[in-house]
Amino acid sequence: MTLRALAKSCFISSLGLVLLGLSACTTNPQSLEANDPLEPLNREIYGFNTTMDEVFFEPASKTYVAVTPKVGREMVGNVMTTLNQPVVFANTTLQGDFEGSLITLARFGMNATLGVAGLFDVATVAGLPERHEDFGQTLGVWGVESGPYLMLPVFGPSNLRDTTGRFADRYAHPLKWNEDEPASSTKIGIRVLNGIHQRAELQDAIDSLDRTAIDPYVQLRTTYHQRRNMAITNGEDAYADLPEFD
Amino acid sequence: MNRLSLSPVIIGLSALILIVSSFNTAQASSPQDAENFVQTNAQAVISTLRDYRSGGTDLSAVKREFRQKIDVLADVDRVTNFVLGRYRRSADPAALEEFRGVFREFAINAYERELANYGGQTLEVTGSVQRGEGDYIVNSRIYGGPEGREYDVKWRVLEHNGQYKVVDAEVLGIWLAQSQRDQVTSIIGDHGGDVSAATRQLRNRMQG
């Protein structure tokens, strides 16, 4: 797929989400201030996601944790991280972070070979730290504003920029490299396992949300906003925008 | 001597440190002082919660001790004013007073539940950044739990008249007080500036 076709595909997908939400726009000043003009629709989707999580995802992730030893879960995480390194490489390069690209390339090569197809994270032991970059962050580095906050069905919190990035990143992932090849049960299995693993990794954060939230929807929105800003700036000037306590 | 019987000594020492530091207002604050403050007082809070986590026999005593230590560590009244945002100046005084009482209870309960996860673990201050005069970010890591995980926690420490107090903490990448302010002001704004709507929501969450 050409870059032009990719961009068109991403734009149309994102535009569809926005058009879907236009009918549910709010004029509530609090929602607009939080860059959440679709709050009524987003809250509905949040409710749907919460139910789905209670019924399917949380039980699945707890079963996964119960039946998989810690070392096994670490291996699953390592394999998924290794598979994602081409995505990270593409984005560090697009951000002009060539040192990050070299480290990511070296990580990929080292873990895919010495690490036995990514099962072991020998690169971190060798002093090559993992980077977390995606196309949403790349757009942020390029100066693209986040756009309205979006609650995606199943996938959870996002915004227009990061949703666009999510579509784009699919094309750099090895599971998508051969788009003529139909989705095999192996590919689907890897995606499902990745989803369950990611959900299990989020358990601490979700528990913390439950313990401390006054309005869980707003807490999740704030959390997403804070974490994405931190990811885009890579922690540089992380304390510049902290509020004053009068 | 068990740990709880040491508590009057620890509290006495903490009070003595605070009294001594309050006489020392002419001396400029320093990042090292902020780090020492967090190391001593945040560790004290976490140590207190060891029994809370393990379901110790005298939980009410543990909770009392926790609340005393939280008041040494954190400026809960200042956090309460902060989370009200712009509504602090325009709201009905009686509604504000009620909110303050309920939020204080909610916040301490939330800290209790949140920090109980780290009960009995070790806090190690790893450095600090000075944002401005008397305004510090103290970095720490907490480790030693049964699952062998490590957590990075950042503490926003403000110094006033020689006294240090935590006003915000970043846990799992989230600044708690900032997040609470977004939630409280969102609820009040959704109800036309009615602070008592946030008070009701806080009560609901505590009961839930």
Side-chain angles (χ1 to χ4, degrees):
Chain A
M1 179 179 275
T2 65
L3 198 58
R4 178 187 292 268
L6 170 65
K8 189 178 173 186
S9 160
C10 291
F11 179 75
I12 290 171
S13 304
S14 302
L15 190 64
L17 279 168
V18 172
L19 290 174
L20 178 70
L22 280 178
S23 60
C25 270
T26 178
T27 54
N28 184 329
Q30 295 301 315
S31 305
L32 297 177
E33 202 173 289
N35 206 5
D36 188 7
L38 307 176
E39 184 170 341
L41 174 65
N42 283 337
R43 278 191 184 267
E44 292 291 327
I45 297 172
Y46 173 75
F48 168 77
N49 286 351
T50 304
T51 304
M52 290 287 286
D53 188 64
E54 286 169 2
V55 175
F56 297 111
F57 305 133
E58 185 177 16
S61 79
K62 287 192 168 170
T63 305
Y64 164 71
V65 170
V67 302
T68 315
K70 190 181 172 196
V71 66
R73 298 199 302 273
E74 283 175 2
M75 285 178 174
V76 170
N78 289 340
V79 169
M80 298 305 170
T81 302
T82 301
L83 277 173
N84 196 49
Q85 292 307 285
V87 176
V88 177
F89 176 81
N91 284 294
T92 49
T93 305
L94 288 168
Q95 291 171 29
D97 176 9
F98 299 113
E99 184 188 343
S101 298
L102 280 175
I103 289 172
T104 303
L105 190 62
R107 277 187 61 85
F108 183 69
M110 197 177 278
N111 283 348
T113 53
L114 297 175
V116 193
L119 285 172
F120 301 97
D121 184 6
V122 290
T124 297
V125 177
L128 297 172
E130 184 187 347
R131 304 291 295 259
H132 300 271
E133 303 293 344
D134 56 53
F135 195 59
Q137 290 179 54
T138 298
L139 291 172
V141 169
W142 289 352
V144 176
E145 294 294 327
S146 66
Y149 178 74
L150 300 172
M151 181 61 69
L152 303 178
V154 180
F155 294 108
S158 188
N159 56 45
L160 186 57
R161 179 189 61 208
D162 294 343
T163 302
T164 305
R166 179 181 275 275
F167 281 111
D169 281 332
R170 287 162 52 92
Y171 294 95
H173 197 281
L175 293 183
K176 191 74 179 174
W177 280 353
N178 186 357
E179 65 178 12
D180 295 330
E181 183 186 316
S184 65
S185 56
T186 306
K187 283 184 179 179
I188 293 169
I190 289 172
R191 289 193 190 283
V192 169
L193 179 60
N194 186 39
I196 294 171
H197 179 80
Q198 295 289 340
R199 173 60 182 79
E201 291 290 294
L202 284 172
Q203 189 63 54
D204 280 350
I206 292 170
D207 288 344
S208 175
L209 185 86
D210 287 341
R211 285 191 298 267
T212 60
I214 303 166
D215 177 340
Y217 172 83
V218 176
Q219 169 118 327
L220 184 58
R221 185 174 70 194
T222 302
T223 298
Y224 184 76
H225 179 71
Q226 285 189 32
R227 292 186 77 122
R228 290 302 288 176
N229 282 349
M230 182 69 79
I232 288 167
T233 60
N234 289 328
E236 290 174 15
D237 285 336
Y239 311 128
D241 293 333
L242 292 182
E244 298 303 317
F245 282 71
D246 298 330
Chain B
M1 185 181 285
N2 65 30
R3 191 185 50 74
L4 282 178
S5 64
L6 276 172
S7 61
V9 179
I10 294 169
I11 293 164
L13 280 173
S14 303
L16 184 64
I17 290 165
L18 284 175
I19 290 165
V20 169
S21 63
S22 67
F23 282 118
N24 205 19
T25 52
Q27 186 181 333
S29 63
S30 74
Q32 187 60 51
D33 290 340
E35 289 181 22
N36 292 341
F37 174 80
V38 169
Q39 181 66 67
T40 303
N41 295 293
Q43 179 66 72
V45 167
I46 291 168
S47 298
T48 303
L49 288 167
R50 182 190 296 125
D51 291 348
Y52 183 95
R53 184 182 171 87
S54 63
T57 50
D58 194 359
L59 276 185
S60 61
V62 172
K63 286 190 173 196
R64 266 199 311 279
E65 191 180 346
F66 171 81
R67 282 162 189 247
Q68 287 168 345
K69 289 182 177 173
I70 272 287
D71 274 329
V72 175
L73 175 69
D75 192 340
V76 180
D77 291 337
R78 200 168 186 178
V79 175
T80 307
N81 285 336
F82 172 76
V83 301
L84 282 163
R86 60 178 176 272
Y87 298 108
R88 177 161 64 102
R89 293 185 177 81
S90 58
D92 170 57
L96 272 183
E97 200 52 38
E98 187 188 14
F99 175 85
R100 286 198 167 98
V102 175
F103 180 78
R104 182 182 173 78
E105 190 64 22
F106 176 86
I108 289 178
N109 279 335
Y111 299 153
E112 204 170 79
R113 289 194 299 270
E114 191 66 14
L115 292 171
N117 283 320
Y118 310 125
Q121 298 184 30
T122 300
L123 178 141
E124 181 184 333
V125 167
T126 54
S128 61
V129 175
Q130 182 164 7
R131 286 190 73 244
E133 186 63 38
D135 189 348
Y136 305 94
I137 307 295
V138 175
N139 301 312
S140 70
R141 66 188 183 101
I142 298 175
Y143 59 92
E147 293 173 2
R149 291 193 182 182
E150 286 193 11
Y151 300 90
D152 289 325
V153 179
K154 295 185 171 73
W155 310 83
R156 177 100 179 263
V157 180
L158 299 183
E159 179 270 342
H160 183 65
N161 287 337
Q163 284 201 7
Y164 292 84
K165 288 283 184 186
V166 169
V167 293
D168 205 353
E170 190 208 70
V171 182
L172 296 170
I174 309 305
W175 288 101
L176 295 177
Q178 281 187 62
S179 170
Q180 286 171 334
R181 183 178 64 170
D182 288 348
Q183 296 169 77
V184 167
T185 55
S186 170
I187 294 165
I188 298 173
D190 284 347
H191 291 82
D194 181 8
V195 170
S196 56
T199 309
R200 284 194 299 276
Q201 177 69 8
L202 288 169
R203 285 204 172 103
N204 288 340
R205 290 294 292 172
M206 281 194 285
Q207 286 163 5

